[in-house]
Amino acid sequence: MSAYAAISDLSFLLVEPSETQRKIIGKALEEAGIIQIEYASNIEETISALANFPPDLVISSMYLPDGSANELIDRIRSNQATEEQCFMLISSESNREYLEHLKQSGVLAILPKPFTQKDLKRAIHSTLDFIVEEEIDLEMFDPKTLKVLVTDDSLTARKHISKTLNTMGIEDIEFAENGRQAIERLGEEEFDLIVTDYNMPEMDGRELTDAVRQNPDIAHIPILMVSSNADESQLSNITQEGVDAICGKPFEPGTVRQLLAQILN
């Protein structure tokens, strides 16, 4: 995609079966500076629209006449032509189990109903950050030579994190599906940064952090922990155990850029 000069250059597809909600969200988008807004009311209309004119951002409600946003994101991510599509949820759903799948699928934001204009603008700026490639400014590293190990049991999450890092000029990225695989990779190659999920099978992010910090050969590597559902006490414990920074899912490019500048400089 080409670089964008302003929010008004972005095109949005709003997937919302309720005409009333369409008007409310559409008006909020226009007030935020979005001019190009198309509409769909179900999964099939959305998939058809993506095939013809893919927008910069899909905004969907959770429940649609022919399925849920979880099923829609699976359709989008399983198609090579649309797998990197920026996606945002606006929903009154608060059940963690229903939202977890979307968080793991690399959504840029999950906004409640009703949402504030401030939250909406932040989500829109995340889209802009994701689309417009701007090399991260680091004192001690050239982003193009920075070697990163991304550890996450979700293929979709690995792809999303990788794409987010790519927008900052970070290209040398290797992958592991869990902490045990990560330790093997760390024994074979040298890395400048570890980005790891918190919840993983076999060896989770906390155990991976422990293993890294106890090994003098790799203990110096900064670790960015990504978590979608750890509670405050868990996160506090993680910080004390050697993680350099913690980032939530959705994985916001602007937040990640700030955290990386903080831990790598």
Side-chain angles (χ1 to χ4, degrees):
M1 283 186 189
S2 59
Y4 289 77
I7 282 174
S8 58
D9 295 330
L10 296 173
S11 60
F12 282 34
L13 175 64
L14 177 58
V15 188
E16 173 58 70
S18 161
E19 197 166 324
T20 303
Q21 286 297 321
R22 277 192 193 194
K23 287 177 180 174
I24 292 169
I25 298 170
K27 185 170 184 290
L29 289 171
E30 286 169 7
E31 287 173 359
I34 302 300
I35 299 167
Q36 304 172 64
I37 309 169
E38 297 292 328
Y39 297 91
S41 58
N42 57 46
I43 291 174
E44 292 308 323
E45 281 182 16
T46 305
I47 297 301
S48 175
L50 291 179
N52 294 319
F53 302 104
D56 294 307
L57 178 67
V58 171
I59 299 180
S60 178
S61 61
M62 175 61 93
Y63 299 106
L64 305 166
D66 52 353
S68 70
N70 285 325
E71 291 164 78
L72 174 57
I73 195 77
D74 283 347
R75 290 276 298 273
I76 291 171
R77 295 289 184 248
S78 63
N79 183 338
Q80 198 171 359
T82 59
E83 65 177 1
E84 292 186 354
Q85 174 67 54
C86 292
F87 191 98
M88 182 169 105
L89 179 78
I90 296 181
S91 175
S92 54
E93 180 59 72
S94 59
N95 188 312
R96 253 187 191 176
E97 287 182 26
Y98 291 128
L99 299 176
E100 182 64 18
H101 184 74
L102 283 158
K103 289 180 179 180
Q104 297 294 350
S105 299
V107 297
L108 285 182
I110 296 177
L111 298 189
K113 280 183 183 175
F115 53 86
T116 66
Q117 196 68 11
K118 182 182 175 182
D119 287 339
L120 180 63
K121 283 183 177 175
R122 181 176 172 179
I124 292 168
H125 279 288
S126 282
T127 306
L128 206 56
D129 286 341
F130 198 76
I131 292 166
V132 181
E133 297 191 3
E134 183 185 343
E135 198 169 280
I136 188 169
D137 186 20
L138 301 172
E139 291 172 17
M140 299 170 65
F141 294 95
D142 175 356
K144 286 186 171 54
T145 63
L146 196 70
K147 194 168 178 67
V148 181
L149 178 62
V150 172
T151 308
D152 198 305
D153 57 312
S154 161
L155 173 61
T156 309
R158 292 197 299 273
K159 284 182 176 179
H160 180 67
I161 292 169
S162 175
K163 170 65 175 153
T164 303
L165 295 174
N166 289 161
T167 66
M168 300 172 200
I170 299 170
E171 299 168 358
D172 194 353
I173 303 169
E174 302 285 333
F175 301 98
E177 293 181 21
N178 55 54
R180 201 172 300 284
Q181 271 191 22
I183 292 297
E184 288 174 10
R185 298 305 306 273
L186 289 161
E188 296 164 354
E189 299 177 60
E190 290 185 12
F191 290 91
D192 300 303
L193 173 70
I194 299 166
V195 180
T196 180
D197 190 23
Y198 178 78
N199 288 310
M200 294 180 291
E202 292 195 48
M203 180 187 277
D204 65 21
R206 183 184 57 79
E207 293 166 325
L208 170 58
T209 300
D210 286 345
V212 170
R213 294 295 177 241
Q214 288 170 20
N215 183 335
D217 293 331
I218 55 175
H220 63 282
I221 303 174
I223 298 174
L224 172 62
M225 179 79 75
V226 183
S227 175
S228 60
N229 58 7
D231 60 35
E232 290 300 318
S233 61
Q234 283 177 310
L235 294 181
S236 174
N237 290 337
I238 296 166
T239 309
Q240 291 168 12
E241 289 167 7
V243 170
D244 294 273
I246 297 170
C247 182
K249 285 182 182 176
F251 195 69
E252 290 187 1
T255 304
V256 175
R257 187 181 289 272
Q258 287 175 356
L259 290 174
L260 292 185
Q262 176 187 313
I263 65 179
L264 290 171
N265 282 334

